[in-house]
Structure formats: C-alpha cells, structure tokens
Amino acid sequence: MASLAFSGSQSAAKLADRALGSGPRAAPLELSVPRAARGRAAMTARSCHGARTLVGNSSGASDMPVLTGSEAVERLQAKRRGWKGKQQYLAMYSSVVGGIVTDPAAMVIPMDDHMVHRGHGVFDTAAIMDGHLYELDQHLDRIIRSASMAKIGLPFDRESMKGILIQTVSVSKCRKGSLRYWLSAGPGDFQLSPSGCAEPALYAIVIQDQSPFDSRGVKVVTSSVPIKPPQFATMKSVNYLPNVLSKMEAEENGTYAAIWLDNEGFIAEGPNMNVAFITEEKELLMPHFDKILSGCTAKRVLTIAEALVNEGKLRGIKLGNVTVEEGKAAEEMMLIGSGVLVRSVIQWDEQVIGDGKEGPVTQSLLDAIIEDMKSGSSSVRTPVPY
C-alpha cells in the first residue's frame, strides 16, 4: 500500500492532498522537482477564502508530478524540516513495518488502516517523567479494555506490548514527555467491515512537548455539543470529533474547555479530562465513571487524596451524581487528566467558582501528583533503560 498518513498533527487527507499531491486541493511544495517534471509543474493561486487552488500551465491542465517512493520520502523530509511546532516526535514504533524509526518523515501509517478511514482504533497515553513511564501498567490495562470493547484483537500479548513501548521510549532518549500508542484493526482495504484487515496493528510515538507548564486557573463553559453515549464514552477510541468540536466551542468563547452534561443533566466530563469539586464541607466530589471515561489520572488523584483526608485538609471523598448547581456552588473546581494534571477552574459560564482564584486543595493535589510522578512507588513508575 503506497498511500500514507502522517502520525502527527497533519491529517490523512492533508498528507494525501498536500504532501503527495493526490487531489484537486493539493498545494504544490516549493521543493526540488525531478527534471523531467519541472516543465510540467503547476502554478498556485490563492482564492478569496485563502485556500490554495491549482492554475494549469500553458496546456490548460494541471499536471502534478508522479513521484517514486524515494522522491516522496525526500519531500516529506523537506516538508518536516520546515515545520516548527512545540512538539517534537522523537521515535515511533509500527507493527506494520516491524520496527522503530526516528525520522519524523517515516512516522506514517497506511491509509487503508481501518483506524484511518473508519475510526476503528483505540489509544492511550503515558507520561514520561525523569526517565520513567508514569502509570504505564494502568494505561496499558485500559487500552486493552478499550480494544476489547471496540472488537479489536491484540497483535501481541500484554507483556510484549509493554516491552515494545518501553523500548520505543529508550530509543527516543526522551526523559520528559509522553508516549502515545494506538491499537487498530489494521490495514487491508477501504471497506466498512474490518474483515479484510490482515491483522491488528500497534503504533506508538514518543512526543517531547516544549510548552511551559501552566497551572493558572482557567474558565470553562457548558458544552452544547452532545456527549457521546456511554458505550463509546467509556472507551478511549480515536472517534474524537465530538471532543474536538467541544474544545473548539470553548476556544470560540474565550475559555479553556467545555463541560459535558450526561443525558440526565448531571455533570459528566470535559473534552479530554475529568472534573472534580471541593464542596463547602471540604469533600472531594467527582462524577462516577459509569457513563464517562475512567481517567487514570483521576483515579490516582482519588488515591492520593486519601492522604489529604488524613492530614485534615479534606473531610471525605465521594463519587456520584453531581448537579450543575452543586458544581457551580463548590468552593473549588478542577480539571484532571494526563495533559493538565490537576488544574483549577475559576469560572464556569458566568459563575465565579469560590473566590475566583486557584484553590488551595487543588494546588495540594497538583503538588502531590507531580511528586508521585517523580518519586512514587514502583506500581506507578516504570524505569526506562536508556
């Protein structure tokens, strides 16, 4: 299969249209073109909407070059060198090619992978802190559960997958970042059913994010995008369009995230994080996980919070249905996830939470989770042999 998709921020469609020039929306690259094709190169113009369109040559027809595999890779490499993002992709494993690559241009997946064109895949992420993978076992257990729910077989047994993930981080030399990995039904064809897929696939990529950590309080809104039904919300699948639209809605309103309510009107979760509250009675209150994703970080926070109960900073911990009224009347509100860790919410819609400042219990939980990532027990920290 010659068609490929980027594993990074570029979508499969963008790769096909822009990098390989395989569609009417393609944007020709300002790179060296094989001599035989130089006289046939199409010109570009910008439409009134800002999108690039093709303008034919003197013959009146656009004539894109037909590239060899090596020429396509050269173009991908040149294109990658021109991108300057905050995230750096240091290593990728693919069971399809059966190995690890460190060239971002080679971090690709087949276009006919059922995950690409049908969304038939699941994923998870483990943080890398000080040369250790944080909660790798917990995240690995969850992706296996998600794969079972999505009827995706395992390409390897659990311990083999764990070994592959650890080795990928080792090759990357990354000591602080994240490891994201996917299980898919695999490549095969473009049919709706995965029956034509030869075997399931495992992909993993090590990401080093150079964005500075920000613990300042944020504002949120109530999402108008419908929440996924429990069957899909409780598995971590690649079907994230509702999550993306919810996040976009928040940004359009000048806020950080949009909060979902379940079908009964109770507080559910954010687009890629759990939510929790500190009540006036100093209880940690969190929606239960029967209709939402069971967050590994959220579950770890619940365990860590027990120490705050013993110290008298909390009076108790409670999981259950949480109404919007209870949430907005709380003394503190927080977002919890592997990306944000524990972050204060200072305003929800028009309601200021507590005194409108970062909450002290939220800060204590953030400090505790960071310390746990740096020096927690072997049950949550897996060393990487570099």
Side-chain angles (χ1 to χ4, degrees), residues 182-251:
W182 296 260
L183 286 168
S184 81
D189 55 35
F190 288 90
Q191 300 301 318
L192 182 61
S193 166
S195 58
C197 300
E199 58 185 8
L202 170 66
Y203 305 102
I205 189 166
V206 179
I207 305 167
Q208 183 172 274
D209 197 327
Q210 299 172 339
S211 303
F213 181 72
D214 192 350
S215 61
R216 291 176 298 175
V218 295
K219 298 179 181 180
V220 299
V221 294
T222 303
S223 179
S224 67
V225 179
I227 188 172
K228 289 182 282 190
Q231 179 182 358
F232 300 109
T234 53
M235 79 169 77
K236 199 171 178 69
S237 78
V238 299
N239 303 126
Y240 255 47
L241 183 56
N243 310 63
V244 170
L245 294 177
S246 180
K247 177 67 172 178
M248 292 177 67
E249 179 181 34
E251 292 174 345

Side-chain angles (χ1 to χ4, degrees), residues 51-358:
R52 287 182 179 273
T53 57
L54 289 175
V55 179
N57 57 18
S58 58
S59 66
S62 62
D63 194 359
M64 297 302 297
V66 177
L67 306 175
T68 65
S70 60
E71 287 170 340
V73 170
E74 289 174 2
R75 288 189 168 212
L76 291 174
Q77 290 172 329
K79 191 70 173 179
R80 279 288 181 180
R81 286 194 292 270
W83 292 334
K84 295 182 180 179
K86 293 180 179 179
Q87 292 188 336
Q88 301 296 318
Y89 311 136
L90 303 182
M92 178 186 173
Y93 169 81
S94 166
S95 65
V96 175
V97 299
I100 300 169
V101 297
T102 58
D103 182 351
M107 297 177 186
V108 295
I109 58 177
M111 278 291 292
D112 66 341
D113 191 296
H114 218 233
M115 180 171 68
V116 175
H117 64 91
R118 297 298 180 186
H120 194 184
V122 295
F123 76 102
D124 224 301
T125 305
I128 306 166
M129 175 67 78
D130 294 341
H132 289 72
L133 280 158
Y134 186 64
E135 289 201 298
L136 175 61
D137 285 306
Q138 290 81 353
H139 286 279
L140 193 54
D141 288 342
R142 185 171 65 179
I143 196 174
I144 291 173
R145 289 197 303 271
S146 293
S148 176
M149 295 171 69
K151 297 185 178 181
I152 296 173
L154 301 182
F156 311 102
D157 61 57
R158 184 189 184 282
E159 288 307 304
S160 296
M161 287 195 292
K162 182 177 179 179
I164 289 169
L165 297 178
I166 294 172
Q167 185 180 357
T168 304
V169 178
S170 177
V171 169
S172 77
K173 306 299 183 185
C174 181
R175 302 189 70 86
K176 185 177 181 181
S178 61
L179 171 69
R180 180 163 294 188
Y181 42 98
W182 296 260
L183 286 168
S184 81
D189 55 35
F190 288 90
Q191 300 301 318
L192 182 61
S193 166
S195 58
C197 300
E199 58 185 8
L202 170 66
Y203 305 102
I205 189 166
V206 179
I207 305 167
Q208 183 172 274
D209 197 327
Q210 299 172 339
S211 303
F213 181 72
D214 192 350
S215 61
R216 291 176 298 175
V218 295
K219 298 179 181 180
V220 299
V221 294
T222 303
S223 179
S224 67
V225 179
I227 188 172
K228 289 182 282 190
Q231 179 182 358
F232 300 109
T234 53
M235 79 169 77
K236 199 171 178 69
S237 78
V238 299
N239 303 126
Y240 255 47
L241 183 56
N243 310 63
V244 170
L245 294 177
S246 180
K247 177 67 172 178
M248 292 177 67
E249 179 181 34
E251 292 174 345
E252 289 164 0
N253 283 276
T255 61
Y256 183 78
I259 305 301
W260 268 319
L261 308 181
D262 67 20
N263 59 347
E264 297 181 87
F266 293 112
I267 297 170
E269 60 184 341
N272 62 340
M273 69 282 287
N274 293 98
V275 296
F277 306 87
I278 304 299
T279 67
E280 292 182 354
E281 294 77 23
K282 295 298 180 184
E283 286 186 324
L284 174 62
L285 180 60
M286 188 182 296
H288 48 60
F289 302 122
D290 60 340
K291 297 181 181 179
I292 60 176
L293 188 67
S294 177
C296 292
T297 306
K299 292 169 71 175
R300 187 61 181 167
V301 165
L302 290 172
T303 299
I304 289 174
E306 294 174 5
L308 299 186
V309 175
N310 295 333
E311 295 170 10
K313 294 181 179 180
L314 283 174
R315 294 185 61 183
I317 301 169
K318 182 186 298 184
L319 273 75
N321 290 328
V322 185
T323 67
V324 173
E325 291 73 22
E326 288 175 313
K328 291 185 175 181
E331 288 194 353
E332 299 180 36
M333 177 178 178
M334 66 195 79
L335 305 175
I336 306 173
S338 59
V340 297
L341 296 183
V342 184
R343 192 160 187 180
S344 289
V345 174
I346 58 176
Q347 183 174 320
W348 181 0
D349 293 332
E350 303 302 320
Q351 178 65 50
V352 173
I353 304 298
D355 59 5
K357 299 179 181 179
E358 293 83 358

